[in-house]
Amino acid sequence: MDISVVIPLLNEQESLKELHDWIVKVMQSNRFSYELIFIDDGSTDDSWETIQALAAENNTVKGIRFLKNFGKSQALHAGFNLAQGDVVITMDADLQDNPEEIPELYKLIKDEHLDLVSGWKKVRYDSVISKNIPSKLFNWAARKTSGVQLHDFNCGLKAYRKAVVKSIDVHGEMHRYIPVLAKNAGFTKINEKVVKHQARKYGTTKFGMERFINGFLDLITIWFISKFGKQPMHLFGALGVLMFIIGFCFAIYLGIDKLFFTPYGRLITQRPQFYISLTAMVIGTQLFIAGFLGELILRSKKQDKRYKIQQTINLDTFKTDASHNLVS
């Protein structure tokens, strides 16, 4: 199979039929073999009924319905788990991503042997104050922190080599940083392509200003995990040892000074250096213990179920793992 199109959605019933027909037209005109995977992330409108109707007339349509809203990252995880195409395309369901970009994205992955191609909405039709300016700041911080030189990390329109989506672990709210996750997993052939951005035709955006605050917090998290996630002792242990050495050096200084230079001076407990020494050694010990506990937790943790699937369409089997299960 050439292409899997993974489409997470929440309350997008008005756009689904039009998006489906548009994608099918592009696929047929380019003679791609394909599948369309819709992941209904707990919609409260008739989105699932629309997906069922589309699947009834087109057997390339597959659907997953979550029991409730678990978030875009979990929806992408489910779609990636199911995708079988050599190239996996992700796009939003609100018609702001243009399906006409799919052939060129596919060509970049196949012909230039890239791992990931991220869309860049160079010209946007969003609010300047609430979206464009915060987005520019967010992308600048992401570039500086991650070292991945992309202009638009949060663009939903991306193309992946199949091996990438089968290797990375998208969880929490990390869908914004899939290129960073891919890089940390060893997939370094990452590029971007300017794509058309279209004004929203139906409904309203599901994301507010809080997504940028959460995005910056997630950026710190992913930086920390990429550096020390596998060996937390390397951070906490090193800081703990450093703090303990500083405190110990102060203690040695106080002892030598009291024994040999000022034996009849102030009591050690009356000197500020004593409390600096004591505090530094206590903090150092706590940091070292934190790193040790982190190592123990890392080796014994069990993954929680991230989402629950209520229904599926056109799926003979859906393999369950530690991250999800199927609710009958």
Side-chain angles (χ1 to χ4, degrees):
M1 184 182 296
D2 294 325
I3 298 175
S4 294
V5 183
V6 176
I7 305 171
L9 62 107
L10 175 64
N11 296 332
E12 299 287 359
Q13 66 179 79
E14 300 98 334
S15 62
L16 290 178
K17 172 65 174 172
E18 186 174 340
L19 177 63
H20 166 271
D21 293 346
W22 196 353
I23 294 174
V24 169
K25 179 182 177 182
V26 170
M27 294 297 185
Q28 291 178 346
S29 64
N30 288 273
R31 298 183 179 180
F32 290 133
S33 58
Y34 68 97
E35 62 181 357
L36 302 182
I37 304 172
F38 291 96
I39 303 97
D40 183 353
D41 187 21
S43 295
T44 55
D45 62 1
D46 292 329
S47 293
W48 183 247
E49 287 71 20
T50 303
I51 296 170
Q52 287 178 314
L54 294 173
E57 65 182 52
N58 181 0
N59 61 11
T60 66
V61 172
K62 301 176 182 180
I64 298 172
R65 186 186 189 187
F66 284 178
L67 191 62
K68 67 173 187 176
N69 178 236
F70 286 98
K72 187 174 182 179
S73 292
Q74 323 314 322
L76 288 174
H77 181 276
F80 289 164
N81 184 58
L82 180 63
Q84 296 300 314
D86 294 334
V87 175
V88 178
I89 306 286
T90 59
M91 62 193 312
D92 295 333
D94 55 11
L95 294 174
Q96 290 192 281
D97 294 332
N98 191 328
E100 300 291 342
E101 304 283 356
I102 291 176
E104 185 61 28
L105 290 171
Y106 176 83
K107 183 178 180 181
L108 287 170
I109 295 290
K110 298 296 285 186
D111 293 353
E112 298 189 17
H113 306 290
L114 297 175
D115 295 318
L116 187 157
V117 179
S118 181
W120 174 16
K121 297 174 182 176
K122 196 171 184 178
V123 178
R124 299 179 65 99
Y125 295 96
D126 293 322
S127 169
V128 173
I129 295 176
S130 65
K131 280 199 171 182
N132 287 7
I133 293 176
S135 181
K136 289 182 183 296
L137 292 172
F138 166 79
N139 286 310
W140 174 82
R143 285 194 298 272
K144 293 297 182 182
T145 304
S146 69
V148 179
Q149 300 303 310
L150 297 178
H151 290 86
D152 192 355
F153 282 80
N154 206 35
C155 179
L157 185 58
K158 291 182 172 67
Y160 310 84
R161 189 160 55 86
K162 182 180 178 181
V164 176
V165 303
K166 299 301 183 182
S167 300
I168 60 176
D169 183 15
V170 187
H171 60 278
E173 292 294 325
M174 294 301 178
H175 59 272
R176 302 177 182 91
Y177 302 109
I178 291 180
V180 183
L181 296 175
K183 177 190 174 187
N184 291 342
F187 299 100
T188 57
K189 297 178 181 178
I190 299 172
N191 210 333
E192 64 184 348
K193 177 187 181 299
V194 176
V195 297
K196 296 177 183 177
H197 182 230
Q198 303 177 147
R200 175 177 276 275
K201 190 173 182 179
Y202 304 105
T204 58
T205 182
K206 310 302 185 298
F207 300 98
M209 284 291 292
E210 69 276 3
R211 73 170 180 161
F212 293 105
I213 298 174
N214 294 336
F216 282 115
L217 295 176
D218 289 337
L219 185 60
I220 296 171
T221 300
I222 201 170
W223 172 82
F224 177 83
I225 290 174
S226 66
K227 293 285 187 181
F228 308 106
K230 292 183 178 180
Q231 293 177 310
M233 182 60 85
H234 285 190
L235 175 65
F236 293 108
L239 289 176
V241 170
L242 177 63
M243 292 296 293
F244 190 89
I245 290 174
I246 291 172
F248 188 73
C249 288
F250 270 106
I252 293 294
Y253 160 73
L254 289 171
I256 293 174
D257 184 65
K258 186 65 175 175
L259 288 173
F260 300 106
F261 296 102
T262 57
Y264 303 106
R266 289 183 299 170
L267 294 174
I268 289 179
T269 55
Q270 293 178 336
R271 301 176 65 172
Q273 294 91 333
F274 170 77
Y275 296 100
I276 294 174
S277 171
L278 183 63
T279 302
M281 286 193 288
V282 170
I283 292 176
T285 303
Q286 289 178 331
L287 286 170
F288 188 87
I289 292 173
F292 181 70
L293 291 176
E295 293 281 347
L296 291 178
I297 292 170
L298 193 66
R299 284 160 172 71
S300 62
K301 71 175 183 178
K302 294 181 180 179
Q303 290 206 4
D304 295 328
K305 293 179 174 62
R306 299 179 189 164
Y307 50 85
K308 296 181 179 180
I309 298 167
Q310 185 175 8
Q311 291 176 268
T312 63
I313 299 175
N314 285 343
L315 304 181
D316 295 331
T317 60
F318 189 79
K319 295 180 180 179
T320 60
D321 58 26
S323 64
H324 66 273
N325 66 339
L326 182 63
V327 178
S328 58

